[in-house]
Amino acid sequence: MTGRLGRPRGSPPRQPSGRDPGLLARRSRGARSVAGQVFALMAVIVVLLITAAALALVFQERYGTQRDARHRSLAAAEAFAHAPGLPAALKSANPTAELQPLAEAARQAAGVDFIAVMTPDGLRYTDSRPELIGKRATGDLSRAVAGHPFTEVFKGSPSDAVRAVVPVRDANGKVIGLVGTGIEIDTVSHTVAGQLPLLLGAAAGALLLGTGGAALVSRRLSRQTRGLGATDMARMNEHHEAVLHAVREGVLIIGADQRLLLANDEARRLLNLPPDAEQRHVSELGLDPRTTSLLVSGRVATDEVHLAGDRLLAVNVRPTQPYGGHPSGSVMTLRDTTELAALSGRAEVARERLQLLYDAGVRIGTTLDVVRTAEELSEVAVPRFADFVTVELLEPVLKGEEPSPGPGAYTQMRRAAMSGVRTDQPLQAVGDVIRFEVSTAPMAAALDAGHAGLAADLNEAMGWRAQDEAGTRQALDYGLHSLISVPLQARGVVLGMANFWRAADTPEAFDEEDLSFAEELGARAAVSIDNARRYTREHATAVALQRSLLPRVLPDQTAVDAAFRYLPAQAGVGGDWFDVIPLAGARVALVVGDVVGHGVHAAATMGRLRTAVHNFSSLDMPPDELLGHLDELIHRIDQNETAGSGDPAEGAGETAGVTGATCLYAVYDPVSGVCAMASAGHPGPALVRPDGAVEFPELPTGLPLGVGGMPFEATELRLPESSRLVLFTDGLLEDRDRDFDTGLGLLARTLSRPGRSPEQACADVLAALLFPAPSDDIALLIADTRRLEADRIAEWEVPRDPAAVSRVRNAGSAQLAAWGLGDIAFTAELILSELITNAIRYGHAPIRVRMLRDRSLICEVSDGSSTSPHLRYAATTDEGGRGLFLVAQYAERWGTRYTERGKVIWAELPLSGGPEPAVPAPDLAALEDLAW
């Protein structure tokens, strides 16, 4: 069916021009193809040849016509000039009348355009044009006058012509006239023009034949080249030439009849093919039988390894695409894996070196310890680069100090590390002093030059031999044969020397590539050593500061038997601290805390916090109140230091405030056996009961110090006698390889061992839980609790009656006598009388008196009032106000502490009598009249 426009339905519309675009494209491709170009070139050549031939024929015809005209003119002129009677006619009275008819008849007979008879000077007697008779002929006639006939193409008046001029002689041979004949140029042109139709016809025929032949050749060539253009064929030729001569991969093309069609140069080289190998059967090429079998089978192969002489070839075989009805053949490619293996070996060496440098970057400098960093350098290079590696460092570097370059500064170093493939090495041991005194020795030469030095053959290192003849001989006998010495330099300062040795285990000597690699390895290690050195200096400073701020010995007290351990982190001193603070009433405060961060700032912050805890503990506050005051203090310090830190825009925005701290504060009373404790973000203690059971009491954990906003909560535990409290920081339990809960379990198992003193328990805990390289500080405090014996405690209830003062004073005096403290009885009575009198007058019931015989005599008077007494100086006219003044004068210490239902005023006296106070002792009976 057709559409309305007369074309099949679904067919594309015709182009407006009526031309098929596909046809145009094919014509365009045809014009660009080699066949099209050949056709165009041949057509142009045919046209040019035919045009040239036609022009040649025209010119040849014209030339021939002119030549014929010359001959005819000359023949006519010769014939007429030698006609009988012509001389006589010239000498007659009227030559024109006699000769004109004869000349006209001769002209017509000869077929020329004119015959003119002239005098020697050119005056015409006859002419085919009568009007010219009597006129002188133009042109050069001298040759004819001289007796020489000639022909010429004459251009002039009366017309252009091909003419001949012949002299007429008399009987004596004298020239008496001239005969001129000729054919006009127009006549010659008309003759040539008559030949043009024939010439043009022949040219057209030749053009058709030539163009047809070119078309046949072009068509044949198009089929042979598959319509390819010149660029495509040039590219194919380049590919062909590349495959044949340039590609470093052998190529064989095998026909369907299993004959070799093509082999490039690389294939001929690899397979050692004969010069006439092409067109031979593959079985006649002298190939390995396995390779021949593969080619005969026609199967596909990918990277099969075949033998070719002493080479291993990777062979690939693929079938070719059939074309033009011809069956497919196959293509074989060959690669020489022998050379590839050599290249792969070099690449593998480079890869191993890069991997070694990467490993060195990861493994060197992990601990910030100078000696360990040197050991890591020696370990990372053995055995992948050297058989033995020694590292020597300057003494100041080992101590963390800045090395001072100067004359002789590098002549001796201390061996800090050594690694090798065997332990029976002949080199000096770690810790020995290594001297570099001979300037020509490899080590000294490298130090002087400031860069790595190579001694490829140690047998030729005369300077090394001169340094230590005996040691050198031993090393050479052992098998050491090659050395690279690398100065370890950072920031332009020499820190030490690294020596890389090769022994019989590696027969290859070091080369220049090894030298550059060793220098790179040494440069990386030097930076790590310098960082460790600088850290060592800072670490030593921080450790010294930390230890100066921590208690060196524990204070004397009776409540607990304590031992402690403090270990700074290997990666940096932190802010962990502990403390044992004696309190009034034979009580003791146990403290442990942790400041976030490391270094000098953390240590200084710890010192500030420890001082603050000491100050607050002197106020005898409960643990939760003390932590609240400490939190408020830290918050205020942070605010003040932040406010005074300067303009952040000017780069002064960093502060040295307390960035974070935790604290556990516990107060143990040996009289009651009660331990009250509170935590500010710190782990609770471990409690070891007398039977060895270990538990971790649940303790409300408040926010860390400095966060603020939330109150702290205290917990009270009644401890059995001979219980053990263990306070610690989290650095003891957790690290990168162990979590906190795992550490708690390990700690519990360690603490459960019976019969261990606090010192022994500290040693056991560290032995079980200490990490090889702790990343955080460790503070450990172990305290065995004690109870104050009942016979060392005396208590009385006091009614609110002034008369009761004497009774209690007398009872106290009797108790002091029973304790053997009669020497201080008077002072104790004085203090008790004053404290009891003031409690009765100004306090509230209940009023109690307690005396404790500890390392000192402790007198305590408690009442239900929270009013705090103040020490003041009474005037001479005052009747009272001297009570506390007397207490302060006679007691070593005194103070007030508050309880939930009132207060306690206490005073401590030495157990033996001391020097008399400056104030005279008043009458005890008059104490009731004194008031504060």
Side-chain angles (χ1 to χ4, degrees):
M1 296 180 65
T2 60
R4 297 177 59 186
L5 299 179
R7 61 178 182 269
R9 295 184 184 273
S11 62
R14 294 190 179 93
Q15 299 295 320
S17 62
R19 297 183 179 180
D20 182 7
L23 177 61
L24 293 176
R26 288 193 297 273
R27 288 179 178 175
S28 177
R29 288 196 302 270
R32 291 194 300 267
S33 66
V34 173
Q37 294 179 21
V38 169
F39 171 75
L41 181 61
M42 292 181 65
V44 171
I45 292 175
V46 168
V47 171
L48 291 177
L49 289 176
I50 293 176
T51 301
L55 292 175
L57 289 175
V58 168
F59 285 112
Q60 184 178 5
E61 183 64 24
R62 186 180 184 86
Y63 175 76
T65 302
Q66 287 184 356
R67 185 180 58 185
D68 181 62
R70 287 174 182 269
H71 291 164
R72 287 168 55 194
S73 298
L74 182 59
E78 290 282 355
F80 195 81
H82 293 87
L86 181 58
L90 290 174
K91 294 180 179 181
S92 64
N94 191 2
T96 302
E98 293 184 11
L99 296 175
Q100 179 65 22
L102 297 175
E104 187 63 23
R107 182 189 68 78
Q108 294 178 356
V112 296
D113 291 333
F114 64 87
I115 296 179
V117 181
M118 300 169 288
T119 62
D121 57 357
L123 188 63
R124 292 186 179 89
Y125 289 134
T126 64
D127 199 279
S128 58
R129 298 166 65 177
E131 67 272 12
L132 296 178
I133 296 175
K135 294 182 179 181
R136 191 174 304 278
T138 59
D140 184 13
L141 304 176
S142 59
R143 288 177 292 175
V145 172
H148 303 289
F150 68 90
T151 61
E152 68 177 352
V153 178
F154 172 75
K155 294 183 179 182
S157 179
S159 62
D160 297 339
V162 177
R163 71 179 182 177
V165 180
V166 177
V168 179
R169 300 176 184 272
D170 57 10
N172 296 323
K174 181 180 178 182
V175 177
I176 59 174
L178 302 173
V179 177
T181 62
I183 301 174
E184 294 181 353
I185 295 299
D186 291 341
T187 302
V188 174
S189 299
H190 287 311
T191 303
V192 174
Q195 301 294 327
L196 286 178
L198 178 60
L199 291 176
L200 292 177
L207 181 61
L208 290 176
L209 290 176
T211 305
L216 292 176
V217 172
S218 176
R219 184 176 180 182
R220 177 66 177 174
L221 183 60
S222 178
R223 286 198 301 267
Q224 293 293 329
T225 61
R226 303 186 185 183
L228 297 176
T231 303
D232 296 331
M233 294 195 69
R235 186 180 296 111
M236 289 181 62
N237 181 67
E238 291 173 357
H239 292 174
H240 180 75
E241 292 297 322
V243 169
L244 283 180
H245 307 297
V247 172
R248 297 295 296 170
E249 186 169 342
V251 178
L252 295 178
I253 300 179
I254 311 299
D257 57 355
Q258 298 176 356
R259 292 185 178 275
L260 179 63
L261 300 181
L262 177 69
N264 68 348
D265 295 347
E266 184 68 7
R268 292 178 181 274
R269 184 183 70 84
L270 294 176
L271 298 176
N272 195 23
L273 296 177
D276 58 345
E278 294 181 356
Q279 300 304 322
R280 283 191 181 188
H281 194 274
V282 294
S283 61
E284 302 173 358
L285 299 178
L287 304 178
D288 181 76
R290 186 163 170 261
T291 307
T292 302
S293 175
L294 174 61
L295 292 175
V296 171
S297 66
R299 65 180 177 85
V300 175
T302 301
D303 287 339
E304 289 188 6
V305 179
H306 289 247
L307 185 64
D310 58 348
R311 295 180 177 273
L312 292 177
L313 306 180
V315 176
N316 293 272
V317 178
R318 294 291 186 276
T320 59
Q321 295 293 332
Y323 171 73
H326 299 287
S328 64
S330 59
V331 176
M332 172 185 281
T333 60
L334 312 166
R335 294 195 314 275
D336 188 353
T337 58
T338 307
E339 297 179 359
L340 182 61
L343 292 175
S344 299
R346 290 194 293 271
E348 181 65 19
V349 171
R351 187 196 67 78
E352 290 178 355
R353 293 290 170 83
L354 289 176
Q355 182 64 38
L356 181 54
L357 285 178
Y358 172 78
D359 293 343
V362 173
R363 295 176 55 185
I364 298 177
T366 60
T367 62
L368 288 177
D369 179 80
V370 174
V371 174
R372 180 56 193 158
T373 303
E375 292 173 349
E376 290 168 344
L377 169 60
S378 65
E379 292 168 357
V380 77
V382 176
R384 290 190 288 176
F385 179 66
D387 295 327
F388 296 93
V389 176
T390 60
V391 181
E392 292 79 44
L393 298 177
L394 294 170
E395 290 287 353
V397 175
L398 290 170
K399 299 176 182 177
E401 301 172 0
E402 184 81 18
S404 55
Y410 305 141
T411 57
Q412 67 178 27
M413 300 180 185
R414 189 169 298 277
R415 180 150 292 169
M418 179 169 58
S419 295
V421 295
R422 296 193 303 273
T423 57
D424 58 335
Q425 43 77 28
L427 302 172
Q428 289 179 257
V430 173
D432 288 358
V433 174
I434 310 299
R435 303 184 184 278
F436 309 109
E437 298 174 346
V438 179
S439 60
T440 57
M443 301 83 164
L447 286 171
D448 292 339
H451 57 76
L454 170 64
D457 188 358
L458 288 175
N459 289 287
E460 300 177 358
M462 296 296 111
W464 182 52
R465 294 191 176 191
Q467 179 74 44
D468 181 7
E469 183 66 30
T472 301
R473 174 51 53 195
Q474 183 180 0
L476 292 176
D477 293 342
Y478 181 82
L480 297 179
H481 61 84
S482 190
L483 168 66
I484 292 180
S485 296
V486 181
L488 300 177
Q489 303 180 81
R491 299 178 293 107
V493 177
V494 174
L495 306 175
M497 166 74 68
N499 294 299
F500 302 89
W501 310 78
R502 280 187 178 173
D505 301 82
T506 306
E508 297 83 6
F510 286 118
D511 54 22
E512 293 296 330
E513 293 185 1
D514 296 324
L515 182 67
S516 60
F517 172 78
E519 194 156 22
E520 174 68 20
L521 187 61
R524 296 193 179 193
V527 173
S528 297
I529 291 175
D530 188 53
N531 290 337
R533 178 197 63 79
R534 298 169 69 180
Y535 168 77
T536 299
R537 180 178 58 187
E538 181 181 347
H539 181 73
T541 302
V543 169
L545 176 62
Q546 180 86 336
R547 294 193 181 278
S548 68
L549 296 176
L550 288 173
R552 300 187 180 184
V553 294
L554 297 181
D556 292 333
Q557 43 78 41
T558 309
V560 295
D561 178 17
F564 67 91
R565 292 290 188 276
Y566 171 77
L567 294 178
Q570 187 170 359
V573 175
D576 292 11
W577 93 93
F578 65 93
D579 219 332
V580 176
I581 306 173
L583 301 178
R587 296 169 304 134
V588 66
L590 305 175
V591 190
V592 66
D594 186 1
V595 175
V596 175
H598 295 85
V600 174
H601 173 61
T605 301
M606 178 274 297
R608 300 167 75 181
L609 292 181
R610 180 169 177 253
T611 302
V613 171
H614 264 274
N615 291 334
F616 287 132
S617 67
S618 65
L619 300 177
D620 224 335
M621 297 179 181
D624 52 342
E625 292 185 19
L626 183 141
L627 291 181
H629 285 284
L630 191 62
D631 177 70
E632 182 181 356
L633 173 65
I634 292 176
H635 185 68
R636 186 166 61 252
I637 290 175
D638 283 345
Q639 286 183 333
N640 294 338
E641 292 184 349
T642 303
S645 60
D647 186 2
E650 298 177 358
E654 295 184 1
T655 67
V658 182
T659 58
T662 64
C663 181
L664 175 64
Y665 186 83
V667 175
Y668 174 67
D669 186 353
V671 176
S672 63
V674 173
C675 181
M677 62 185 71
S679 171
H682 199 88
L687 175 59
V688 184
R689 296 192 176 274
D691 59 357
V694 180
E695 61 182 67
F696 297 94
E698 292 187 5
L699 183 67
T701 304
L703 296 175
L705 298 174
V707 176
M710 296 296 291
F712 297 96
E713 184 177 353
T715 299
E716 288 189 355
L717 300 175
R718 188 169 298 275
L719 306 181
E721 189 173 358
S722 301
S723 297
R724 174 171 288 177
L725 279 174
V726 180
L727 286 70
F728 52 86
T729 56
D730 56 1
L732 177 69
L733 303 183
E734 61 181 352
D735 201 82
R736 291 183 295 269
D737 301 326
R738 187 171 67 208
D739 58 24
F740 188 82
D741 292 337
T742 303
L744 280 180
L746 186 56
L747 176 62
R749 290 192 296 272
T750 306
L751 293 175
S752 62
R753 295 179 59 187
R756 310 294 288 175
S757 67
E759 282 289 341
Q760 293 171 335
C762 285
D764 293 342
V765 169
L766 291 184
L769 281 82
L770 185 62
F771 298 95
S775 59
D776 196 4
D777 286 14
I778 295 174
L780 174 64
L781 178 62
I782 297 180
D784 285 352
T785 62
R786 297 170 179 166
R787 296 291 292 270
L788 196 61
E789 296 85 349
D791 60 356
R792 302 175 69 178
I793 305 172
E795 295 182 283
W796 299 277
E797 293 283 345
V798 180
R800 293 200 62 184
D801 182 4
V805 176
S806 299
R807 294 195 300 269
V808 174
R809 185 177 64 236
N810 294 332
S813 179
Q815 182 64 57
L816 291 175
W819 283 341
L821 301 177
D823 294 343
I824 62 172
F826 177 80
T827 306
E829 290 180 30
L830 175 73
I831 292 174
L832 284 174
S833 295
E834 178 62 26
L835 296 180
I836 295 171
T837 300
N838 282 279
I840 292 174
R841 288 184 178 183
Y842 305 106
H844 301 288
I847 300 174
R848 295 180 59 85
V849 174
R850 184 172 72 171
M851 288 196 309
L852 305 176
R853 184 178 181 275
D854 192 29
R855 295 177 181 269
S856 61
L857 177 64
I858 304 170
C859 300
E860 298 179 345
V861 177
S862 63
D863 66 84
S865 172
S866 60
T867 302
S868 176
H870 297 282
L871 177 65
R872 69 185 180 89
Y873 292 93
T876 57
T877 58
D878 292 340
E879 295 182 0
R882 297 180 179 84
L884 281 184
F885 178 75
L886 292 175
V887 171
Q889 290 295 317
Y890 282 96
E892 277 192 336
R893 295 193 308 154
W894 74 277
T896 303
R897 70 174 182 271
Y898 293 93
T899 64
E900 294 181 358
R901 295 182 178 86
K903 65 179 181 298
V904 176
I905 302 177
W906 57 269
E908 291 186 4
L909 288 79
L911 297 181
S912 60
E916 292 295 330
V919 179
D923 185 4
L924 293 181
L927 288 177
E928 288 79 0
D929 297 328
L930 297 176
W932 59 64

